[in-house]
């Protein structure tokens, strides 16, 4: 396992100067911060224990290396920072959950070793068990994770920003740490019973879910209280850029009240990924409120299929709202500044 570094999470062994399998030199190829990895080894482990039935799992759990590399090359992605997708609703006990995390870590470390330069990984944070989450963050540092990944809220509907998570965030704040967020079903709903019947959660509920987390962190001054933490809001920040004016003018109705200056400050301090796809319709709105140096490329593969990922990448390449320099920064350089471990 890689040693813990002074700057938080240890390097994942990524050589961004390597040639890809087509022999291209990846000087400006993308770094993808939104890639779902359902480890085949983990699925074997989970199915053997009756935790999943592989045949009925959704399509995005059918991950294999060749398909991943093909999708990445189609979109000009050199390195993908993967998030372990382990779709289990309930474990027998915390010990089994910890074993599941160890299996996922082993698969991610193996993936990095099998395809040098192509992958890095986030450490999963199970917010329903804060002690286990803290353990996973420490284990992830030792294993070579470049940051951590967390859902927007726990199973009881408590969103990040709430004081219940302060002890975990304080531990993560001991050094620079990137927290990559991902939305999930709104509290009280489920994949089989979405909040709006007939409308999949990822279409409408996910953008609202990530917006709720960002607003809650703004209300509770999360970025000020934990200054070493950097949060990535996926899907262009959900609805957050579109309600920026509404949030600023209506902050007095929040409890505690939020002044417009804090709203503007937090909007520029959050990081955002492009998975949605973002371009071209959403770009001007995001650029109006976000720091362009904090926008990162995200594919959402394989939840987003390969053709969609390639099409979204092409749209980003030709987005007239972005300068050439901004496109290059979004594709690669913003990520390398946020994740210095990914530099060669």
């Amino acid at each position: 396992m890689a040693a813990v570094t002074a700057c938080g999470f240890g390097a994942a062994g990524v050589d961004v100067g390597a040639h890809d399998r087509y022999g291209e030199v990846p000087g400006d190829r993308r770094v993808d911060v939104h890639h779902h990895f359902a480890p085949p080894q983990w699925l074997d482990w989970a199915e053997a224990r009756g935790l999943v039935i592989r045949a009925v799992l959704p399509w995005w759990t059918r991950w294999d290396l060749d398909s991943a590399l093909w999708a990445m090359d189609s979109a000009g992605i050199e390195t993908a920072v993967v998030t372990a997708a382990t779709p289990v609703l309930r474990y027998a006990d915390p010990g089994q959950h910890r074993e599941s995390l160890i299996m996922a870590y082993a698969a991610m470390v193996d993936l990095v070793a099998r395809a040098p330069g192509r992958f890095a990984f986030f450490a999963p944070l199970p917010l329903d068990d804060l002690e286990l989450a803290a353990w996973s963050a420490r284990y992830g540092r030792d294993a070579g994770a470049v940051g951590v990944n967390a859902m927007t809220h726990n199973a009881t509907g408590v969103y990040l920003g709430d004081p219940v998570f302060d002890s975990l965030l304080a531990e993560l704040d001991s050094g620079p740490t990137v927290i990559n967020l991902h939305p999930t079903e709104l509290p009280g709903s489920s994949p089989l019973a979405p909040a709006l019947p007939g409308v999949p959660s990822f279409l409408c509920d996910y953008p609202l879910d990530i917006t709720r987390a960002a607003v809650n962190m703004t209300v509770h001054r999360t970025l000020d209280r934990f200054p070493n933490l950097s949060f990535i809001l996926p899907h262009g920040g959900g609805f957050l850029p579109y309600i920026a004016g509404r949030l600023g003018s209506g902050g007095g109705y929040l409890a505690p009240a939020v002044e417009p200056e804090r709203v503007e400050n937090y909007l520029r301090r959050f990081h955002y990924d492009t998975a949605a796809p973002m371009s071209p319709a959403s770009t001007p709105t995001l650029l109006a409120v976000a720091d362009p140096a904090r926008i990162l490329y995200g594919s959402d593969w394989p939840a987003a299929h390969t053709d969609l990922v390639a099409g979204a990448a092409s749209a980003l390449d030709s987005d007239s709202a972005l300068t050439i320099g901004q496109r290059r920064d979004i594709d690669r350089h913003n990520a390398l500044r946020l994740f210095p471990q990914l530099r060669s």
Side-chain angles (χ1 to χ4, degrees):
M1 291 185 179
V4 181
T5 68
C7 62
F9 281 77
V14 175
D15 175 12
V16 294
H19 292 249
D20 72 5
R21 62 189 178 132
Y22 293 123
E24 299 171 356
V25 178
D28 286 318
R29 285 164 64 82
R30 293 181 164 102
V31 175
D32 179 10
V33 301
H34 195 141
H35 182 120
H36 298 281
F37 172 51
Q41 309 97 307
W42 178 89
L43 285 170
D44 291 340
W45 174 88
E47 191 164 42
R49 285 153 182 79
L51 295 172
V52 300
I53 302 174
R54 191 182 307 222
V56 301
L57 288 174
W59 77 95
W60 49 263
T61 62
R62 299 179 184 95
W63 193 99
D64 69 85
L65 181 58
D66 286 343
S67 297
L69 291 173
W70 176 262
M72 291 164 63
D73 291 335
S74 298
I77 299 166
E78 177 60 21
T79 302
V81 187
V82 304
T83 299
T86 52
V88 173
L89 296 179
R90 183 174 298 175
Y91 291 94
D93 51 53
Q96 188 182 59
H97 196 170
R98 180 176 296 203
E99 185 180 354
S100 169
L101 291 169
I102 291 172
M103 291 296 301
Y105 276 121
M108 291 189 287
V109 170
D110 178 66
L111 176 63
V112 170
R114 290 174 63 196
R118 304 310 301 270
F119 297 98
F121 62 92
F122 291 113
L125 287 189
L127 295 184
D128 295 325
D129 186 333
L130 298 185
E131 182 178 347
L132 184 60
W135 171 87
S136 183
R138 295 189 295 269
Y139 193 100
R141 285 192 182 98
D142 291 344
V146 300
V148 301
N149 175 264
M151 293 299 183
T152 47
H153 61 81
N154 65 15
T156 60
V158 180
Y159 279 83
L160 280 169
D162 191 277
V164 72
F165 299 113
D166 281 0
S167 61
L168 174 62
L169 297 187
E171 179 164 342
L172 295 173
D173 193 56
S174 61
T177 300
V178 178
I179 301 180
N180 182 55
L181 299 183
H182 198 279
T184 184
E185 279 68 31
L186 297 177
S189 64
S190 72
L192 297 179
L196 186 60
V199 180
S201 299
F202 66 84
L203 285 179
C204 297
D205 297 347
Y206 279 18
L208 176 57
D209 191 60
I210 196 64
T211 303
R212 284 179 167 186
V215 171
N216 206 42
M217 287 190 286
T218 304
V219 169
H220 292 284
R221 296 182 175 272
T222 301
L223 301 186
D224 296 314
R225 294 188 299 114
F226 304 104
N228 287 319
L229 304 184
S230 299
F231 289 87
I232 302 175
L233 306 181
H235 305 299
F239 299 135
L240 187 64
Y242 303 93
I243 65 166
R246 185 181 182 92
L247 184 60
S249 62
Y253 294 98
L254 299 171
V258 174
E259 63 280 6
E261 293 77 15
R262 194 197 316 170
V263 171
E264 181 179 356
N265 175 264
Y266 271 52
L267 283 166
R268 294 191 66 80
R269 288 168 66 186
F270 284 126
H271 298 259
Y272 305 82
D273 81 30
T274 65
M278 182 184 82
S279 293
S282 306
T283 314
T285 303
L286 182 57
L287 290 175
V289 300
D291 180 353
R294 296 183 177 227
I295 302 175
L296 311 164
Y297 173 77
S299 73
D300 207 5
W301 194 85
H305 58 74
T306 300
D307 289 345
L308 177 59
V309 169
S314 178
L316 188 63
D317 287 338
S318 60
D319 193 331
S320 60
L322 298 168
T323 68
I324 293 174
Q326 286 173 335
R327 285 200 295 270
R328 289 175 176 168
D329 285 346
I330 291 170
D331 282 347
R332 181 179 184 86
H333 301 296
N334 291 343
L336 294 183
R337 283 191 287 269
L338 186 60
F339 302 103
Q341 310 95 317
L342 297 184
R343 298 182 183 274
S344 60

